[in-house]
């Protein structure tokens, strides 16, 4: 059963703590993406990776970090430097075409 | 950067009615994608458009790639309660390094 999984679905953290969100895909896609979604807003690109061991900053990379050590995995770390970390985080992957496919999302709440 | 203007922001309709929404931009796009997102879930791809003037259907959904390549339209016919959700357009331009630009979404509510 191919797809993209994100875990956990809900995540709660205290301010000042780093937190890592998981994204795994078994679609054999080369490219993977992380987006942030806030209420009433479109999706904003945080980081993306076109291939293993390579990634680029998106439009709102400050306060976030990623790694791409395996094709299947693209974890996102929300650091304490991110001023407004509470949001819905979406991971996506892309095959050879232009279509991106999304995971179910992780809702992060930082208090 | 590039922007997509999606309208309307929200729609409240009766079951059985047809729905139209659109995305416009001052920039040219080579690909248009339409997604649906239900509360608390990730967006699901509905329709992909690759050529100017292209008209593509997926069940009761029909989308068109505008001839100017600066706009796209999504129509839903005979709406049903499960059509409720947020519909997003996304465009891909040449030289964008495969980065999509997203509209802010149209929230659709269907009254049974």
């Amino acid at each position: 059963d191919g797809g993209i999984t994100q875990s956990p679905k809900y995540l709660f953290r205290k301010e000042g703590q780093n937190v890592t969100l998981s994204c795994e895909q078994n679609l054999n896609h080369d490219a993977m993406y992380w987006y942030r979604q806030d209420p009433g807003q479109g999706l904003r690109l945080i980081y993306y990776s076109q291939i293993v061991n390579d990634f680029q900053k998106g439009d709102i990379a400050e306060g976030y970090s990623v790694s791409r050590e395996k094709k299947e995995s693209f974890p996102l770390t929300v650091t304490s430097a991110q001023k407004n970390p509470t949001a819905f985080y979406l991971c996506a992957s892309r095959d050879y075409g232009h279509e991106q496919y999304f995971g179910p999302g992780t809702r992060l709440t930082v208090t | 950067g590039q922007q997509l203007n999606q309208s309307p922001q929200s729609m409240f309709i009766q079951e059985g009615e047809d729905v139209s929404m659109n995305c416009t931009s001052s920039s040219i796009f080579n690909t248009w994608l339409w997604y649906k997102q239900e509360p608390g879930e990730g967006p699901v791809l509905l329709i992909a458009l690759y050529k100017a003037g292209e008209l593509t259907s997926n069940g009761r959904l029909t989308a068109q790639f505008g001839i100017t390549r600066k706009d796209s339209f999504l129509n839903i016919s005979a709406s049903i309660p499960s059509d409720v959700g947020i519909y997003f357009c996304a465009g891909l331009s040449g030289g964008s390094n495969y980065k999509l630009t997203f509209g802010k979404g149209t929230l659709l509510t269907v009254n049974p």
Side-chain angles (χ1 to χ4, degrees):
Chain A
D1 198 12
I4 303 173
T5 57
Q6 291 184 242
S7 60
K9 183 71 174 171
Y10 299 95
L11 194 51
F12 298 88
R13 279 293 183 272
K14 293 289 187 188
E15 202 173 305
Q17 293 178 335
N18 291 354
V19 59
T20 298
L21 282 60
S22 165
C23 177
E24 304 278 332
Q25 55 100 359
N26 60 5
L27 300 168
N28 201 34
H29 289 175
D30 282 317
M32 296 185 75
Y33 303 79
W34 273 106
Y35 293 91
R36 171 186 172 129
Q37 186 176 33
D38 295 286
Q41 299 294 317
L43 279 64
R44 293 185 290 168
L45 182 64
I46 305 173
Y47 268 98
Y48 64 105
S49 168
Q50 305 272 37
I51 199 166
V52 175
N53 292 321
D54 186 49
F55 50 82
Q56 286 83 39
K57 292 181 180 180
D59 301 318
I60 55 165
E62 186 175 346
Y64 299 97
S65 65
V66 293
S67 62
R68 187 84 189 279
E69 296 175 3
K70 297 188 300 182
K71 189 175 187 177
E72 304 79 22
S73 178
F74 190 39
L76 173 74
T77 297
V78 184
T79 75
S80 56
Q82 168 49 234
K83 291 186 171 58
N84 266 327
T86 294
F88 190 49
Y89 290 88
L90 288 160
C91 177
S93 69
R94 178 178 60 81
D95 58 12
Y96 295 110
H98 301 157
E99 300 163 17
Q100 291 185 22
Y101 299 91
F102 287 85
T106 291
R107 184 165 299 281
L108 173 65
T109 303
V110 176
T111 57
Chain B
Q2 294 173 321
Q3 287 190 338
L4 286 181
N5 300 309
Q6 187 170 351
S7 65
Q9 279 188 323
S10 61
M11 302 182 74
F12 298 85
I13 63 170
Q14 292 296 126
E15 183 176 359
E17 289 183 0
D18 297 343
V19 171
S20 288
M21 59 191 79
N22 69 82
C23 275
T24 60
S25 175
S26 57
S27 304
I28 287 175
F29 288 93
N30 297 327
T31 299
W32 286 95
L33 306 175
W34 284 93
Y35 290 87
K36 178 189 177 186
Q37 184 179 29
E38 298 189 13
E41 300 296 329
V44 174
L45 182 64
L46 300 172
I47 293 179
L49 302 160
Y50 292 101
K51 287 167 54 174
E54 180 182 355
L55 188 70
T56 298
S57 293
N58 178 5
R60 293 177 295 104
L61 278 61
T62 301
Q64 183 161 26
F65 193 139
I67 292 176
T68 65
R69 294 168 62 193
K70 295 181 179 181
D71 55 11
S72 179
F73 305 85
L74 176 70
N75 296 318
I76 305 173
S77 63
S79 59
I80 58 178
S82 62
D83 289 334
V84 164
I86 302 176
Y87 292 80
F88 289 100
C89 63
L92 184 72
S93 60
S96 66
N97 204 17
Y98 292 101
K99 291 191 293 180
L100 291 175
T101 300
F102 284 86
K104 291 189 176 181
T106 295
L107 173 61
L108 178 63
T109 303
V110 180
N111 295 318

